[in-house]
Amino acid sequence: MKKILFLLFLVVSIYEVKAQAVYQPYSFQFYQKLSGEVYNPNTRIHSALKPFFIDDSLLRDKSSMLLSIGTDSTRKSWVSRKLFQEHLLDIQREDYTVYADFLPDFQIGRDVSGKKTTYLNTRGYQVGGTIGKKFSFYTSGFENQGRFAAYYDNYVNQTKVVPGQSYDRSFGKLTKDWSYVTATVSYTPIKYLNITAGYDKTFIGDGYRSLLLSDFSSPTPFLKLTGNLGNVQYMVMWTSMQDPGATKLSYDAGNRKKGGIFHYLDWNVNNKLSIGFFDSIIWAQTDDAGNRRGFDWGYANPVIFLRPVEASSGSPDNALLGFTTKYEFAKELVAYGQFSLDEFEAKNFFSSSGSSRNKYGWQLGLRGADVFHVAGLNYLLEYNTAKPYTFSSRTRIGNYANYNEPLAHPFGANFRELVGLLNYSYKRFDFSGELMYAKYGLDIAGQNYGKNIFEPYTDAVQPIGNYTTQGIRTDLFYAEGKVAYVVNPKYNLRLELGGVVRRESNNLGKNTTGLITFGLRSSFRNLYSDF
């Protein structure tokens, strides 16, 4: 066996890689600028699995252009070049590259309706590079303090987490204090295989939201294998997650731990049609009685869909199946969708009885690039919904969540949502707008109506007769607009003016937010506030 492994390693090591796969952190704001190349029926780029390792020549050329937009070769001053068009540190050698930047994110704002001043004070960094043609690395870190609008502040106080970033060290104080870090190391031994390990996020889907795996929750430690063989892309990822809200077994044991394994296969049937298959398993490392289970070696196999394996173990864990599809009519019109199946009870499913055990969600969307033949004008229109109790489990620790936040949609379950986004880039100017309307059902008097995925679905308010938005029917309207001028495209340093109008209402009352912000911002990452 050892000889076979050694020979395999030797073959992999000497196989020449055509081009270095360069890691590009996932940010919807930046990735939508690649839409004209990614969603083009003349190409077969695998678009659903993010972040990208940009090794395709089309993406590499477009990404390089975006990261150099507005470059002025006549600049002679070192300060001028570093401020407007270069990395702070940029070393380019034949056998290695290194770049590094300071990432400020300073923002001041006014919550008009709450008569409250908001601010964000972030000092960050990023360091990345390549070693030879096979290794790449990237890390970023941010130290933050901030004050937020009332609805955002309430979310942090309830979850103890700044959305998608980290735990709040202020413990409920007005000024929040937190850190955010990522780190990845990537090895591409042959052009067909990439191995990545680190502490980061993964997003699966072609839309703005994902009902399979999103980047809404905090980063996690992971090991990911991604294979590319022509029209087929296959990913397997193992992660280690935490649940600070679950009952601790002891002070010394710290937060309860949970493991996750995710498979995703994307098949480009032809230049226009793609279909994908997804599955995942979430398991608790210890049960509520303190019995340690550890890693289930049945989940170690990287090339098998795991629902049968989980069932053969007595179905102790939380399994999720999913499907994706995409059809590119033209780069101006792309249709996409997702379906996630958390649990299926055939008898009640086909009778539409509203069983609490029929838990599923779906997504349908349209998006396009260079609309009306205007370069840089992109749009997205998307509908998302999830039945009550979807993503929940028999126990809190086994649910489809990480660090007090959903692994899929920010709303959890028991919701319907319609969201539209419009983006336009002209030279160094970026314009973006978002409109979102959602309705969902909140719990009544401690009864579980299905939105809170941290409540066991075994405590459902009723076994049958459930419907989406049951409970306290709540309507949410969210509108946001931003205008930005990119000072330095290398690390997305920009002057940004933004405005938010948010209104949440039900028969118990109304919560309205009007927010205006201005700041000097940087970095490539998604920071969600539309929840």
Side-chain angles (χ1 to χ4, degrees):
M1 183 63 180
K2 291 183 178 179
K3 290 182 179 180
I4 294 175
L5 291 175
F6 175 75
L7 289 174
L8 179 61
F9 175 78
L10 188 62
V11 170
V12 165
S13 298
I14 63 177
Y15 201 106
E16 183 178 0
V17 179
K18 288 187 176 180
Q20 173 64 52
V22 178
Y23 174 82
Q24 177 59 49
Y26 178 52
S27 161
F28 184 86
Q29 184 259 353
F30 181 78
Y31 271 52
Q32 55 86 21
K33 297 180 182 181
L34 301 171
S35 294
E37 286 68 35
V38 173
Y39 298 101
N40 191 324
N42 296 321
T43 66
R44 292 194 181 187
I45 295 173
H46 294 283
S47 58
L49 183 60
K50 304 176 181 76
F52 292 158
F53 281 90
I54 296 180
D55 53 3
D56 182 275
S57 59
L58 289 174
L59 291 185
R60 191 167 60 246
D61 292 345
K62 183 59 178 290
S63 175
S64 178
M65 184 273 288
L66 292 172
L67 295 175
S68 303
I69 195 165
T71 298
D72 183 358
S73 60
T74 64
R75 294 184 188 273
K76 303 300 182 182
S77 167
W78 181 89
V79 173
S80 178
R81 287 186 287 108
K82 296 302 177 183
L83 181 60
F84 294 107
Q85 63 189 42
E86 294 182 1
H87 291 294
L88 181 62
L89 173 68
D90 195 354
I91 301 174
Q92 302 287 330
R93 300 289 185 268
E94 185 176 351
D95 52 350
Y96 71 92
T97 65
V98 179
Y99 67 87
D101 294 296
F102 170 67
L103 303 179
D105 200 345
F106 306 132
Q107 187 182 69
I108 189 73
R110 183 67 178 175
D111 181 359
V112 179
S113 54
K115 298 180 180 180
K116 176 182 179 182
T117 298
T118 66
Y119 73 85
L120 180 65
N121 178 6
T122 294
R123 294 82 61 206
Y125 71 87
Q126 70 171 2
V127 179
T130 62
I131 303 174
K133 294 183 178 180
K134 298 182 179 181
F135 286 96
S136 67
F137 59 91
Y138 179 85
T139 181
S140 66
F142 304 85
E143 189 64 28
N144 317 267
Q145 290 80 39
R147 292 190 178 187
F148 304 110
Y151 82 94
Y152 199 101
D153 205 46
N154 291 337
Y155 179 94
V156 177
N157 291 337
Q158 291 171 6
T159 62
K160 316 301 182 188
V161 177
V162 178
Q165 299 187 65
S166 183
Y167 71 96
D168 170 31
R169 294 190 296 250
S170 74
F171 302 105
K173 294 180 181 178
L174 189 59
T175 299
K176 308 306 180 187
D177 185 1
W178 73 101
S179 299
Y180 178 90
V181 294
T182 69
T184 60
V185 177
S186 171
Y187 176 49
T188 307
I190 58 177
K191 66 179 181 179
Y192 307 111
L193 175 66
N194 176 264
I195 304 170
T196 303
Y199 187 79
D200 205 351
K201 304 180 182 185
T202 298
F203 184 99
I204 294 178
D206 289 291
Y208 176 63
R209 309 286 200 188
S210 177
L211 296 175
L212 302 178
L213 182 62
S214 78
D215 62 339
F216 180 69
S217 70
S218 302
T220 61
F222 72 94
L223 172 63
K224 183 192 304 182
L225 310 181
T226 306
N228 289 280
L229 188 60
N231 294 329
V232 175
Q233 181 184 66
Y234 181 76
M235 180 275 289
V236 57
M237 179 173 66
W238 297 269
T239 67
S240 176
M241 297 173 285
Q242 302 183 44
D243 187 351
T247 303
K248 291 181 173 58
L249 301 174
S250 70
Y251 178 82
D252 293 335
N255 294 333
R256 296 278 295 278
K257 307 297 191 299
K258 56 200 292 187
I261 179 170
F262 307 85
H263 290 155
Y264 181 66
L265 186 148
D266 186 54
W267 176 32
N268 287 335
V269 180
N270 52 45
N271 279 17
K272 294 187 176 183
L273 176 64
S274 298
I275 57 177
F277 306 91
F278 172 87
D279 81 342
S280 69
I281 300 287
I282 304 295
W283 72 92
Q285 293 188 8
T286 55
D287 62 20
D288 291 339
N291 299 310
R292 182 171 178 79
R293 180 181 175 188
F295 182 75
D296 189 330
W297 288 98
Y299 300 153
N301 194 319
V303 291
I304 185 172
F305 281 84
L306 294 172
R307 183 63 182 92
V309 177
E310 192 264 347
S312 68
S313 300
S315 296
D317 304 321
N318 188 4
L320 182 74
L321 300 177
F323 305 92
T324 66
T325 186
K326 174 189 67 178
Y327 191 84
E328 299 174 357
F329 297 93
K331 69 178 180 178
E332 295 87 1
L333 180 60
V334 178
Y336 62 90
Q338 290 185 349
F339 180 77
S340 60
L341 180 62
D342 192 8
E343 193 167 356
F344 176 74
E345 190 180 49
K347 178 182 177 181
N348 284 307
F349 182 86
F350 293 109
S351 66
S352 301
S353 63
S355 170
S356 61
R357 293 184 58 190
N358 282 323
K359 304 181 296 178
Y360 61 89
W362 57 274
Q363 175 189 88
L364 185 63
L366 297 172
R367 66 181 302 163
D370 302 340
V371 185
F372 306 124
H373 303 290
V374 178
L377 178 60
N378 307 315
Y379 75 93
L380 179 146
L381 181 64
E382 180 176 291
Y383 177 80
N384 298 289
T385 184
K387 300 288 284 185
Y389 311 107
T390 306
F391 307 118
S392 62
S393 183
R394 293 184 295 270
T395 62
R396 175 186 169 112
I397 190 68
N399 68 351
Y400 199 67
N402 165 56
Y403 220 91
N404 285 357
E405 294 182 300
L407 280 168
H409 198 286
F411 292 157
N414 193 22
F415 72 88
R416 293 190 176 101
E417 177 198 41
L418 182 64
V419 58
L421 298 106
L422 190 66
N423 301 273
Y424 177 58
S425 299
Y426 177 73
K427 296 184 178 179
R428 291 201 178 199
F429 287 94
D430 283 341
F431 305 87
S432 62
E434 175 185 356
L435 289 176
M436 183 265 285
Y437 171 70
K439 54 184 177 180
Y440 42 80
L442 300 177
D443 291 346
I444 300 176
Q447 293 182 304
N448 182 9
Y449 278 83
K451 183 180 187 298
N452 186 355
I453 67 173
F454 296 94
E455 295 292 333
Y457 73 85
T458 52
D459 295 336
V461 68
Q462 54 193 8
I464 60 174
N466 297 285
Y467 61 92
T468 306
T469 72
Q470 67 181 9
I472 302 175
R473 160 71 182 269
T474 303
D475 295 277
L476 175 64
F477 173 78
Y478 182 95
E480 181 176 16
K482 294 179 181 178
V483 178
Y485 177 79
V486 180
V487 178
N488 190 325
K490 290 294 186 184
Y491 51 100
N492 202 20
L493 180 68
R494 62 197 186 276
L495 293 169
E496 182 180 278
L497 176 66
V500 170
V501 175
R502 179 186 183 274
R503 184 178 68 248
E504 184 180 30
S505 59
N506 53 37
N507 58 14
L508 300 180
K510 183 183 297 185
N511 186 346
T512 302
T513 299
L515 182 65
I516 300 174
T517 61
F518 178 75
L520 177 66
R521 317 201 66 184
S522 63
S523 82
F524 298 100
R525 55 179 178 152
N526 286 327
L527 299 176
Y528 295 98
S529 57
D530 52 350
F531 53 82

